[in-house]
Amino acid sequence: GNSVTQMEGPVTLSEEAFLTINCTYTATGYPSLFWYVQYPGEGLQLLLKATKADDKGSNKGFEATYRKETTSFHLEKGSVQVSDSAVYFCALSNTGGFKTIFGAGTRLFVKA
Amino acid sequence: GAVVSQHPSWVICKSGTSVKIECRSLDFQATTMFWYRQFPKQSLMLMATSNEGSKATYEQGVEKDKFLINHASLTLSTLTVTSAHPEDSSFYICSARNSVMGTEAFFGQGTRLTVV
């Protein structure tokens, strides 16, 4: 079945450090891939998405590239800010089941 | 973008009572709605999928008689937690999609349920 695996957290970084959160997936067909962010006490916000191989999603300095050959969708940001502290979820959805399948989430702490 | 509104944002209820949570798609028709549950510091677990006008499809392990889902219109789905108990306390999140709009689902802001 479809599944998403992402690196365990928490990840603690200093402000302006480089961020990578790894995400790999298992899926039939050609899923769409997403990164969602959840701030404390809030719901989910879509951060970025990619719908086909080699697509790069980007938003607010974050980016991720859909790599079919490695079944990965790693999240990166060149310089994190304290306000980026949140939980990040990698997810996939395909046209077959329509469900969005989430990874376990990675908690990011950014220190000033 | 597409907006999904969930109400209430938080609710406290007494053990044994029932609680209804609403999920509305404000600017699009939601052919499919999903209900998720999230325990503290954990990921979102899909509870059920509902298509407008049809009975919901529940994930394995989810009690359909306890978590009643209704999707009577293309813009509204409700989740009713019946005879709630403290172990039902959780964060419940809905999402909605329309197949014409692609594979992306749009999420509500979530409802924090506390059963005392």
Side-chain angles (χ1 to χ4, degrees):
Chain A
N2 298 338
S3 66
V4 176
T5 302
Q6 62 182 104
M7 64 187 287
E8 291 187 22
V11 174
T12 303
L13 296 173
S14 297
E15 207 165 24
E16 299 184 3
F18 184 85
L19 169 71
T20 299
I21 300 178
N22 289 338
C23 171
T24 57
Y25 67 90
T26 302
T28 55
Y30 302 94
S32 295
L33 302 174
F34 308 89
W35 277 100
Y36 287 90
V37 59
Q38 186 178 35
Y39 297 101
E42 298 185 13
L44 290 177
Q45 298 178 28
L46 178 66
L47 182 59
L48 53 84
K49 66 179 180 181
T51 58
K52 61 182 188 297
D54 300 325
D55 267 2
K56 176 185 283 188
S58 61
N59 185 27
K60 300 180 182 179
F62 292 89
E63 58 182 36
T65 301
Y66 190 142
R67 301 286 188 199
K68 192 173 188 302
E69 64 276 14
T70 55
T71 61
S72 65
F73 192 54
H74 305 320
L75 181 68
E76 296 181 337
K77 186 175 185 181
S79 176
V80 293
Q81 306 300 312
V82 173
S83 57
D84 294 327
S85 298
V87 180
Y88 292 82
F89 292 95
C90 185
L92 70 81
S93 178
N94 60 30
T95 54
F98 301 145
K99 305 174 187 179
T100 304
I101 306 297
F102 289 88
T106 301
R107 188 172 297 274
L108 170 66
F109 293 104
V110 181
K111 305 179 296 184
Chain B
V3 178
V4 175
S5 176
Q6 206 172 322
H7 177 82
S9 299
W10 58 271
V11 58
I12 300 173
C13 71
K14 291 185 176 180
S15 189
T17 62
S18 295
V19 174
K20 180 183 286 188
I21 302 169
E22 293 186 348
C23 179
R24 293 181 185 273
S25 56
L26 298 186
D27 51 3
F28 69 102
Q29 293 185 325
T31 50
T32 307
M33 285 189 168
F34 306 89
W35 287 95
Y36 293 84
R37 182 173 182 177
Q38 184 181 33
F39 290 103
K41 299 186 179 181
Q42 294 189 26
S43 189
L44 283 76
M45 301 303 297
L46 181 65
M47 299 174 67
T49 303
S50 73
N51 294 298
E52 185 265 338
S54 303
K55 287 186 177 180
T57 301
Y58 289 80
E59 295 298 302
Q60 192 172 7
V62 178
E63 299 175 62
K64 65 176 74 173
D65 294 331
K66 180 164 190 62
F67 299 100
L68 302 179
I69 292 171
N70 183 278
H71 189 172
S73 79
L74 283 170
T75 58
L76 173 66
S77 176
T78 60
L79 167 67
T80 301
V81 183
T82 62
S83 186
H85 291 283
E87 57 266 29
D88 298 323
S89 299
S90 191
F91 194 57
Y92 293 89
I93 303 177
C94 72
S95 70
R97 70 183 297 271
N98 184 310
S99 57
V100 174
M101 299 165 68
T103 55
E104 182 180 350
F106 303 92
F107 286 79
Q109 69 271 41
T111 298
R112 184 162 303 284
L113 169 64
T114 302
V115 185
V116 298

